[in-house]
Amino acid sequence: MYRSVIRPILFALHIERAHRTVVWLLRLAGWLPGGLWLLSRCFAVRHPALGREVFGLHFDNPVGLAAGVDRSGEAIAGWGAAGFGFVEVGTLTPRPQPGNPRPRIYRLPKDDAMIHRTGLPNRGLEAAIRHLRRPRKGVVVGCNIGRNTSTLPENGPSDYLKLFRNLYQYADYFTVHICCDNPVEQEPSLEEVRKEILRILDPLFDFRRGQNQYRPIMLKVSPDMSDETVDVVTDILIETPLDGIVATDGTLGRDGLKTSRAAVGKAGSGRLSGAPLTRRAVEIVRRIHTRSGGNYPIIGVGGVMNADDARAMFAAGADLVQVCTGLVYEGPRLVRDICRALIADAETAANTAAPEVAENTTAAETPGAPASEN
């Protein structure tokens, strides 16, 4: 129904208007008596096999909403009712900001992709707190935090710290967003990358040490990082109190697109998300998992367009996955399909293991042959 009826209607609207319509409908479901219950009956999948314990938090299922969809946390309960195991709000900045001039998001239907250069529009810290105070029906909520565009880079850590301190009691975990919409002429040296990341993270670690409650801190990385830079970030994960990594954001690359060069050129600069990102995102998840020995949580995001993409993320070492562009093209059935696939995989594994356990038990209980006499 989504592909044949709902998606054509939404695609007839400009993408940001379609986005606002969906968020409004989810908020409406929360206001109407029985709205969230009906939404849950239609889309949510509940099963014990879906539960996950990651960085000290329980997730009813491992499929989350990526940052950039609900920037200010307006419809958290609605997303939960629609089947998401967790919601990442943001990217939030201390002060409200409108973002880049519109149009700034473009669909590429031939590639199941989007190009976006939003400039992190959001309503700021105070608006986010108002929304996060509302009941959320047990949904795990992460806050993706960044700096205001008008904040000078050298003052960036103060923006992150302000958000972290003021949102600490409302969020279940935090994601530090060090990526941006604008390309850089040259990737900084590995030592510069390390210094800049620690300059942002260290004040957050210091603040957290003085709190009674523990809030996990994740770091979001870009798919355009070199393998060597990914290794540096992974080493920071191992050597500091950082709890995990979110991999990845969108890419500035345009390789292998089916969409015409003219159409891509019309969209202009910005990050590409969706199916073209799948392979690189999985590669980075696998690299982080291998280098860290599989001892740290990873949230896999980027190009998760179907259940097989989610399976690839989990096989590469992800503990959780997030969807964004896949939701635009597949609708809420994407979360349902992934959850059902995971349940089927768990049942298959259980059925395969059962005969092996029975065989081993039978062999252990069979009396051994008597010892031969000399």
Side-chain angles (χ1 to χ4, degrees), residues 206-326:
D206 290 340
F207 176 81
R208 184 174 64 180
R209 289 188 189 99
Q211 306 306 305
N212 293 326
Q213 296 176 314
Y214 188 89
R215 297 289 185 260
I217 302 172
M218 309 290 284
L219 182 69
K220 190 165 189 176
V221 300
S222 166
D224 299 325
M225 287 179 170
S226 66
D227 288 345
E228 292 77 15
T229 304
V230 172
D231 289 345
V232 167
V233 172
T234 307
D235 291 342
I236 291 174
L237 171 64
I238 296 170
E239 298 164 6
T240 72
L242 185 65
D243 295 278
I245 291 178
V246 180
T248 65
D249 197 7
T251 176
L252 296 171
R254 299 290 187 268
D255 295 337
L257 296 180
K258 299 174 185 176
T259 305
S260 68
R261 290 186 178 181
V264 173
K266 183 179 179 180
S269 62
R271 292 193 174 270
L272 176 73
S273 64
L277 184 58
T278 308
R279 182 175 178 180
R280 178 57 178 163
V282 170
E283 286 177 354
I284 291 180
V285 168
R286 182 178 293 109
R287 189 175 188 92
I288 295 168
H289 178 77
T290 300
R291 189 173 181 88
S292 65
N295 296 320
Y296 297 87
I298 302 172
I299 299 178
V301 57
V304 179
M305 310 297 289
N306 52 53
D308 286 340
D309 293 335
R311 284 180 170 126
M313 280 290 192
F314 289 123
D319 299 276
L320 306 166
V321 297
Q322 291 177 335
V323 299
C324 178
T325 304

Side-chain angles (χ1 to χ4, degrees), residues 19 65-71 88-91 105 118 121 144 220 324:
H19 169 257
L65 183 71
V69 181
D70 194 343
R71 301 185 184 106
E88 191 165 301
V89 173
T91 299
I105 308 178
T118 59
N144 185 300
K220 190 165 189 176
C324 178

